[in-house]
Every structure is written in C-alpha cells, then in structure tokens.
Amino acid sequence: MGLERNIVVDSHKFDVVVIGAGLAGMLMTIACGQNKIETGLFEKDVPGGILLKMDKIQNIFDHREITGKDLSYSLFKQATNNQYVKYFYGCVCFFQCLDNGRYLLATTNNSFWEVKAIVIAANLESDYLPKGMLKNNGQLIVNENNETIWKNVYGIGQVIGNKTSEDILRAITVILKNLQKSNLLNK
Ligand SMILES: Cc1cc2nc3c(=O)[nH]c(=O)nc-3n(C[C@H](O)[C@H](O)[C@H](O)COP(=O)(O)OP(=O)(O)OC[C@H]3O[C@@H](n4cnc5c(N)ncnc54)[C@H](O)[C@@H]3O)c2cc1C
C-alpha cells in the first residue's frame, strides 16, 4: 500500500473516474460535469464505442435521426467542454481499494490515479475486473443503486445490461443520487 500511495501525486486525483467513452460513459461524464464533480474519463480506443458502428439512430435525445458518429462527436464535445472534466486516451487495467477507502487506478501506459468513486461504462471484455464482480455472462453484479460488490464502484451501460439510452439515463440519476447521499464528494 505504501508504495502505491507514493506513486499517486496530487494532480492525479479525481472524485470520479469513468471507464469507457461509449454512450453510457459520455452521458455519465456530462452529468458529473454538470454537477461540478471532478471527473476523469478514460477511453482505450476512439470515443463512441458501439455508437460508431450505427448508421442511423432515430428519436434519441433532441434528434429525430442522427448517425452514431455524429451523436458520438456531439456527446464527446459536451462531455469534455467542462472545466471539471478531463479526458484521457488510455486503457484502465487495474484498480484496488486503498487504506483510506479510495481507489488506486492504473492504465496500461503506467499512469496511476487516486479516486473516490469509479463508474465502469466499459463493454463486456472486462478481464481486468475482479472475477467476483462479474456474473457468468460477463455482466457486472450490481444492486439497486447500480453499485457493484465494491463500495463506490458502479456499473452503467451494456456492462450491467442497459439496453437503451433511457435505461442509461435512469442509471445515471440513481448513481448521482447515491454519490451525493454518501457525502463522498465533500470529503
Ligand atoms: C445494432 C444496435 C442498435 C442499437 N440501437 C439503439 C437505439 O436505437 N437507441 C438506443 O437508445 N440504443 C440502441 N442500442 C443500444 C446502445 O447502442 C447501447 O446501449 C450503447 O451504445 C452501449 O453503450 P456503452 O457505453 O454501454 O458501451 P460501448 O459503446 O461498448 O462503450 C464502451 C467503451 O468502453 C471502452 N473500454 C472498454 N474497456 C476499457 C478499458 N479497460 N479502459 C478504457 N476504456 C475501455 C471501449 O473501447 C468502448 O468505447 C443499439 C445497439 C446496437 C448494437
């Protein structure tokens, strides 16, 4: 633990880290930014996830019809055009609880972060996640607050079986309420 504490410097701290910049991760990040929560968004590939493979999406948010690529670009701009949000190109490969109840999170390019809460918005290829956190089908086990078996680690999007943008928006509301209720962000 001592070693890990030494690696993390003050500039490498966030209230919340969102893993994955697909639809779910970008919407979660927008909501965090609007609530003035210091948030890091990590994406191992191009932001957009599954959206980038979708030619036309109908009746989503204010759009009657939009390509997945355009929607992705618009959401990414909204998510990152906020002083409380920082975006990183990087693959999260590890996180573990520290003595102080926060999490140490690492990426494959050797950056280390200390965070109060984590929102997993990645896809089902989650080989870095503790096995006990997953069901047999690869989805995360979550409770009614979308919290995993680890405190302050949440799941959202396809990784918990959300199928539509409405499902994702509902999950975001629940997670934000829970974060605010836990007083975690004021510490
Ligand atoms: C054909 C099709 C049509 C659909 N049509 C609709 C529709 O009309 N309306 C609607 O609301 N929904 C629709 N959906 C569902 C919707 O697209 C999905 O719910 C949503 O896009 C899933 O988003 P996600 O963010 O959960 O996952 P993804 O889009 O898969 O995003 C996950 C992201 O996490 C990143 N990632 C993974 N692991 C890591 C890591 N370790 N570190 C950093 N980044 C990582 C990945 O690179 C990826 O970018 C459709 C889905 C499909 C397949």
Side-chain angles (χ1 to χ4, degrees):
M1 293 291 182
L3 176 66
E4 287 138 8
R5 288 276 184 83
N6 290 339
I7 293 169
V8 176
V9 291
D10 281 348
S11 60
H12 277 208
K13 289 184 178 176
F14 281 115
D15 287 336
V16 173
V17 154
V18 178
I19 307 176
L23 180 65
M26 291 194 286
L27 289 175
M28 185 74 225
T29 304
I30 291 169
C32 286
Q34 286 170 345
N35 283 277
K36 303 186 177 175
I37 299 170
E38 299 280 352
T39 305
L41 172 63
F42 286 79
E43 169 57 54
K44 67 176 180 175
D45 209 325
V46 183
I50 292 177
L51 283 182
L52 298 178
K53 297 185 183 142
M54 293 165 66
D55 282 343
K56 282 182 195 154
I57 310 173
Q58 279 158 346
N59 303 320
I60 189 160
F61 311 128
D62 295 337
H63 309 282
R64 284 187 62 193
E65 187 170 291
I66 187 167
T67 65
K69 201 170 155 193
D70 285 348
L71 178 61
S72 177
Y73 180 69
S74 153
L75 292 176
F76 184 69
K77 253 194 352 196
Q78 275 186 63
T80 52
N81 192 14
N82 183 304
Q83 60 171 311
Y84 296 95
V85 171
K86 289 203 171 49
Y87 169 73
F88 299 92
Y89 171 59
C91 182
V92 174
C93 59
F94 165 88
F95 58 87
Q96 89 171 40
C97 197
L98 295 169
D99 295 343
N100 59 5
R102 297 184 182 183
Y103 286 91
L104 176 78
L105 178 140
T107 67
T108 47
N109 49 3
N110 280 334
S111 62
F112 293 85
W113 304 83
E114 188 178 307
V115 301
K116 295 178 185 170
I118 296 173
V119 179
I120 302 168
N123 39 27
L124 297 181
E125 303 140 26
S126 320
D127 49 5
Y128 60 98
L129 295 174
K131 287 286 171 277
M133 208 178 254
L134 302 174
K135 298 183 201 166
N136 287 340
N137 64 4
Q139 285 182 359
L140 282 174
I141 300 164
V142 288
N143 65 15
E144 67 284 0
N145 294 324
N146 298 315
E147 194 171 29
T148 68
I149 58 169
W150 286 16
K151 200 166 162 44
N152 302 319
V153 178
Y154 297 87
I156 193 170
Q158 58 157 308
V159 80
I160 62 161
N162 289 156
K163 298 239 180 333
T164 64
S165 47
E166 285 80 17
D167 290 341
I168 292 171
L169 290 173
R170 268 193 294 274
I172 288 170
T173 308
V174 171
I175 294 173
L176 277 178
K177 253 195 206 148
N178 210 47
L179 281 173
Q180 277 149 359
K181 206 170 71 186
S182 72
N183 254 344
L184 186 77
L185 305 174
N186 306 326
K187 287 183 201 160

